[in-house]
Amino acid sequence: MSPAKARGMSQITPQIVADHGLSPEEYERVLHALGREPNLVELGIFSVMWSEHCSYKSSRIHLKKLPTQAPWVICGPGENAGVIDIGDGQAAIFKMESHNHPSYIEPYQGAATGVGGILRDVFTMGARPVANMNALRFGDPNHPKMRHLIAGVVHGIGGYGNCVGVPTVGGEVNFHPAYNGNILVNAMTVGVAQTDKIFYSAASGVGNSIVYVGSKTGRDGIHGATMASADFEEGDDDKRPTVQVGDPFTEKLLIEACLELMASDAIVAIQDMGAAGLTSSSVEMASKGGVGIHLKMDDVPQRETGMTAYEMMLSESQERMLMVLKPGKEAFAEAIFRKWELDFAVIGHVTDTGRMVLEHHGEIVCDIPLAPLADDAPLYDRPALTRDAYKVWAQVKPLDEASIPESTDIAADLLKLMASPDIASRRWIWEQYDHKVGGDTVMPPGGDAALVRVHGTDKALAITTDCNPRYCYADPYEGGKQAIAEAYRNISATGATPLAVTNCLNFANPQRPEIMAQITGCLEGMADACRALDFPIVSGNVSLYNESKATGGGSAILPTPAIGGVGLIQDWRKAVGVGFKNAGDRVFLIGHPKPSLGQSLWLREIAGLEAGAPPHVDLTLEREAAEVVRSLIDKGLVNAVHDVSDGGLLVAVAEMALAGNIGLTFGDYLNPTARMLFGEMQAMYVVTIAKDGGQEAYNAFLQASAVDGVPALWLGDVGGDALSFEDENGDALTSISIAALRTAHEGFFPKLMGADAALA
């Protein structure tokens, strides 16, 4: 068959174009780019490269608004992961990505392969992965499918991460009916590399070998990127063939083999095969290097017989990498991968044509220019509602706090909040994760941020994932600011300096102006917060079309721009946790108290309302309060710190009491109103100073906390087995025992998961 006949071997109909997720207008762009009709292989390649998941065609124009640079940023967005300098010739490399649609269809494999994919993004740049995190959103716990989804996702994350030998050190979980038909599974990995051994993906060197390593290619995951770029319809559970199947044991071998080869000088460029598999990896490598690529599909390692070029190019089989090697290094590299019992094959070479040419069974089955696939992908500036119009559409009820009934029983309110899905202990989840493998986890799950020591040093990386979708829905701009500020606070609360952010921007259909208003509003808020806090965004992922028309699925998810933050502390021994330490320690609130019940969990869980504006985020106060807290920790003046967030001040204090298994008696001048105790104040921290520090330490604490005019309000003293409120005469007003708090806090997940709780 001649090349011309090969190119025309499949009649392309409007239905075939639609099945590939391309609009008629986009197909016209394909025809213009090629100057002819594509064949099915070429159409498939355009469809995945121009999918929302790969091209960011609805968000690229807005992502440019985000600040991405700082003196410590080595590599910002555009590579497999972001890179920051952490001193001593070392770099932290990290990224967060979504695996939402696959996890809804097949929760175990969807979540597991999400972990595997983000691990590859990090070690492909030369880093040894040191920590995994996640950000999970589930629907109504009583939804008939939710227990199955929770169990599958959690077991999938643990099953992959535990086997591959990278600790899963924390994460976050939210519940809301908006996620009934479209859960979110966002995975984050952090690795450490030498700054002189960082690897990039731009191919170069005409004639250099293109090498395939890892597992064989199968038919799993075909059109996964296209599926991730559309919402769910009725019957989409039948899309299981588009979900990849992972093998963490092979991934572990792949990590070690790649790092061994990276210790040499053999690699020119390297890229993992993630979404869109061999297509995206080869196109990205060639386009970034400004070169062409010629692949022989017969040489691609295959685990199934009779695979077509179309299937091989679109497969998303896991644990695969693509490399460009220096001349003469093929045998050296092959010996390493054979030693680790992995496939190795030279499948092509770099050209100077600027085209992708695929050869199969001796015929040319694809010959297309690379520029339109990457640089000239569609770019849309989709219409968005104005901020005022969005408020009208969102129908957020105004809140007159003066008319809200006061709490009639503080103890009962606190116990109900501690048992609620969004605050209850996540122990059932994180005890299924090996968070200690590697021996460098300093602070395990359960605190404000995880802390992982940089192996062989005194340094440690603080890692957190954060977002409040309730806030983002009620006011996307303030919600975007708060997501960044919350990550900044959680890192600062350990004593670490926040350095950079990765993100996973989860939204619904961008073709709806109200959803675009959420996207643009959140991004504007994030950008302003990042600039004000010197907290740049160095990597990330956009996941759109997260909505469902399936029965019982509801519609759009809440806007969920999940934030992954990374910080650095020079001496991990100085870090503090959230738990109260000793009887007699004094407890203070650091910051300017501005309590509000708008969009608070107390308002939702106790008063039955989702109303009001979310709390305003004052970025100047955020920075000032965090700098004071980090200074107090560095000077050893505080022995416990916890930021105030969901549930407000009293929930924060209760979590500190549970972590330390000791109570607190509040001072008589704290105003014990629902607004003060349960309002979700921003830029606020609860800290404790040691009783045995004496008056000198106490004076030093007061002096240090007065920097920049940040006040310290005395709350009470640690001691006893309850949280107690007393009047001016010392008589008890309210008392909530630690035992009752623990029963409420620990009960939600075991009760929800029933028999599955035994799997923990």
Side-chain angles (χ1 to χ4, degrees):
M1 183 185 294
S2 70
K5 288 182 180 179
R7 287 196 298 268
M9 64 185 174
S10 178
Q11 179 81 25
I12 302 301
T13 67
Q15 185 58 52
I16 291 175
V17 172
D19 289 343
H20 281 74
L22 292 172
S23 68
E25 295 77 16
E26 288 170 342
Y27 184 62
E28 286 297 321
R29 292 175 63 114
V30 173
L31 295 177
H32 181 266
L34 293 180
R36 58 174 170 80
E37 183 182 81
N39 65 31
L40 191 60
V41 176
E42 295 165 335
L43 181 69
I45 289 172
F46 270 100
S47 78
V48 293
M49 291 307 300
W50 285 8
S51 69
E52 196 76 63
H53 193 75
C54 291
S55 74
Y56 295 172
K57 57 190 174 186
S58 297
S59 58
R60 283 203 322 272
I61 193 170
H62 301 291
L63 294 174
K64 295 176 181 178
K65 302 172 185 176
L66 298 172
T68 61
Q69 297 180 337
W72 51 89
V73 174
I74 295 174
C75 178
E79 274 293 337
N80 287 291
V83 187
I84 58 173
D85 194 329
I86 58 172
D88 307 308
Q90 294 177 308
I93 299 180
F94 57 98
K95 191 180 182 184
M96 179 189 287
E97 280 205 342
S98 62
H99 229 221
N100 302 334
H101 285 45
S103 297
Y104 182 81
I105 294 171
E106 177 48 67
Y108 183 93
Q109 289 295 348
T113 52
V115 173
I118 197 63
L119 282 165
R120 289 193 299 279
D121 276 337
V122 168
F123 75 75
T124 193
M125 297 195 70
R128 178 171 291 280
V130 299
N132 288 333
M133 296 279 282
N134 52 72
L136 311 177
R137 317 288 169 184
F138 296 110
D140 181 348
N142 297 315
H143 187 281
K145 192 171 183 176
M146 212 50 56
R147 185 172 171 272
H148 162 72
L149 291 170
I150 295 168
V153 166
V154 172
H155 297 158
I157 291 171
Y160 204 100
N162 296 353
C163 292
V164 84
V166 177
T168 301
V169 295
E172 61 168 348
V173 184
N174 288 149
F175 293 85
H176 193 279
Y179 303 103
N180 280 352
N182 199 128
I183 64 171
L184 302 184
V185 176
N186 298 169
M188 176 180 175
T189 292
V190 181
V192 174
Q194 297 298 309
T195 54
D196 60 353
K197 280 290 185 181
I198 297 171
F199 291 82
Y200 299 98
S201 58
S204 64
V206 173
N208 282 347
S209 295
I210 298 170
V211 172
Y212 172 120
V213 300
S215 293
K216 289 180 169 62
T217 294
R219 291 189 171 96
D220 52 323
I222 293 174
H223 276 304
T226 306
M227 178 188 68
S229 304
D231 55 20
F232 280 127
E233 300 283 354
E234 292 282 356
D236 275 7
D237 282 7
D238 294 336
K239 289 184 176 178
R240 280 182 176 80
T242 61
V243 178
Q244 310 93 322
V245 177
D247 181 352
F249 300 103
T250 298
E251 182 103 334
K252 174 61 175 173
L253 299 178
L254 189 59
I255 292 172
E256 299 304 328
C258 287
L259 292 178
E260 182 175 340
L261 183 61
M262 287 168 169
S264 72
D265 64 347
I267 298 174
V268 174
I270 182 170
Q271 175 80 34
D272 82 297
M273 295 191 213
L278 186 53
T279 290
S280 65
S281 57
S282 57
V283 169
E284 289 172 11
M285 292 178 77
S287 60
K288 287 178 182 177
V291 296
I293 192 167
H294 186 113
L295 301 181
K296 293 187 176 182
M297 306 309 295
D298 303 86
D299 295 332
V300 172
Q302 301 161 50
R303 69 166 182 259
E304 299 183 45
T305 59
M307 291 192 72
T308 65
Y310 178 95
E311 291 171 327
M312 285 185 272
M313 291 304 292
L314 300 190
S315 167
E316 294 184 6
S317 294
Q318 297 291 286
E319 294 85 41
R320 303 178 301 159
M321 310 285 281
L322 199 64
M323 299 180 182
V324 175
L325 296 182
K326 291 182 178 178
K329 295 294 185 179
E330 293 87 354
F332 171 76
E334 182 173 8
I336 290 174
F337 284 92
R338 297 298 184 196
K339 181 185 73 173
W340 289 100
E341 300 180 347
L342 295 167
D343 276 283
F344 177 99
V346 177
I347 64 168
H349 62 276
V350 177
T351 71
D352 61 359
T353 64
R355 302 181 72 84
M356 167 180 274
V357 177
L358 306 181
E359 184 179 343
H360 194 213
H361 299 330
E363 301 289 346
I364 301 301
V365 296
C366 171
D367 185 354
I368 55 181
L370 284 161
L373 287 175
D375 302 335
D376 298 333
L379 178 63
Y380 298 123
D381 186 3
R382 299 195 186 277
L385 297 181
T386 65
R387 195 171 181 183
D388 288 340
Y390 175 80
K391 289 180 179 179
V392 173
W393 173 84
Q395 297 182 330
V396 176
K397 298 176 183 177
L399 181 66
D400 179 7
E401 295 200 17
S403 66
I404 298 173
E406 189 49 64
S407 174
T408 58
D409 190 334
I410 290 172
D413 288 359
L414 177 60
L415 290 172
K416 185 172 182 179
L417 280 175
M418 297 300 287
S420 66
D422 281 347
I423 293 181
S425 170
R426 274 64 177 132
R427 185 183 304 276
W428 179 86
I429 294 177
W430 58 256
E431 282 191 344
Q432 297 180 58
Y433 305 152
D434 187 341
H435 53 268
K436 295 182 179 179
V437 63
D440 285 319
T441 304
V442 177
M443 285 187 185
D448 283 325
L451 209 63
V452 178
R453 182 173 52 200
V454 179
H455 193 74
T457 75
D458 291 333
K459 298 180 297 188
L461 297 171
I463 312 165
T464 184
T465 55
D466 296 287
C467 180
N468 192 319
R470 303 189 315 276
Y471 296 175
C472 292
Y473 180 84
D475 187 329
Y477 176 74
E478 286 294 334
K481 284 166 59 180
Q482 197 274 342
I484 295 292
E486 174 78 2
Y488 187 83
R489 282 200 302 273
N490 281 332
I491 291 170
S492 296
T494 68
T497 300
L499 292 178
V501 166
T502 185
N503 60 57
C504 197
L505 307 176
N506 307 274
F507 295 93
N509 187 339
Q511 297 175 58
R512 295 166 54 187
E514 62 271 20
I515 303 302
M516 277 308 303
Q518 294 173 349
I519 295 170
T520 57
C522 285
L523 286 173
E524 288 168 5
M526 290 165 55
D528 284 349
C530 288
R531 278 188 286 268
L533 301 174
D534 282 341
F535 204 24
I537 293 176
V538 297
S539 62
N541 170 244
V542 179
S543 175
L544 303 181
Y545 295 95
N546 289 291
E547 57 184 77
S548 174
K549 298 180 179 69
T551 301
S555 184
I557 64 163
L558 299 182
T560 312
I563 300 301
V566 174
L568 179 70
I569 189 169
Q570 294 295 332
D571 185 350
W572 64 268
R573 299 172 190 84
K574 289 187 175 182
V576 299
V578 303
F580 288 151
K581 298 297 187 297
N582 309 297
D585 289 353
R586 308 201 75 185
V587 183
F588 286 82
L589 183 64
I590 298 288
H592 297 266
K594 294 183 178 180
S596 168
L597 289 171
Q599 296 300 319
S600 67
L601 286 179
W602 182 88
L603 193 67
R604 187 182 79 186
E605 299 293 329
I606 307 302
L609 294 172
E610 291 189 57
H616 172 66
V617 179
D618 187 319
L619 295 169
T620 300
L621 295 183
E622 287 286 358
R623 183 162 187 153
E624 291 174 351
E627 288 173 348
V628 167
V629 167
R630 294 198 301 268
S631 174
L632 292 170
I633 294 172
D634 183 62
K635 294 174 182 177
L637 297 175
V638 294
N639 59 11
V641 177
H642 191 18
D643 81 309
V644 177
S645 58
D646 278 353
L649 172 61
L650 193 53
V651 166
V653 169
E655 290 170 341
M656 297 177 82
L658 287 172
N661 200 33
I662 189 171
L664 168 72
T665 299
F666 284 91
D668 60 16
Y669 65 86
L670 177 70
N671 189 8
T673 62
R675 191 166 179 266
M676 183 64 191
L677 295 180
F678 300 114
E680 295 173 2
M681 299 177 283
Q682 305 296 294
M684 303 295 295
Y685 302 80
V686 179
V687 307
T688 64
I689 60 172
K691 174 186 178 182
D692 58 12
Q695 188 64 37
E696 184 176 343
Y698 179 61
N699 291 338
F701 164 81
L702 293 177
Q703 183 178 2
S705 65
V707 174
D708 293 323
V710 178
L713 171 68
W714 177 64
L715 295 178
D717 295 335
V718 174
D721 59 2
L723 300 183
S724 302
F725 291 87
E726 298 178 349
D727 62 20
E728 63 274 11
N729 299 317
D731 296 327
L733 294 173
T734 301
S735 182
I736 313 114
S737 72
I738 300 297
L741 283 171
R742 194 172 304 283
T743 298
H745 196 230
E746 297 285 350
F748 170 74
F749 273 102
K751 181 180 178 181
L752 173 67
M753 302 310 295
D756 282 338
L759 298 174

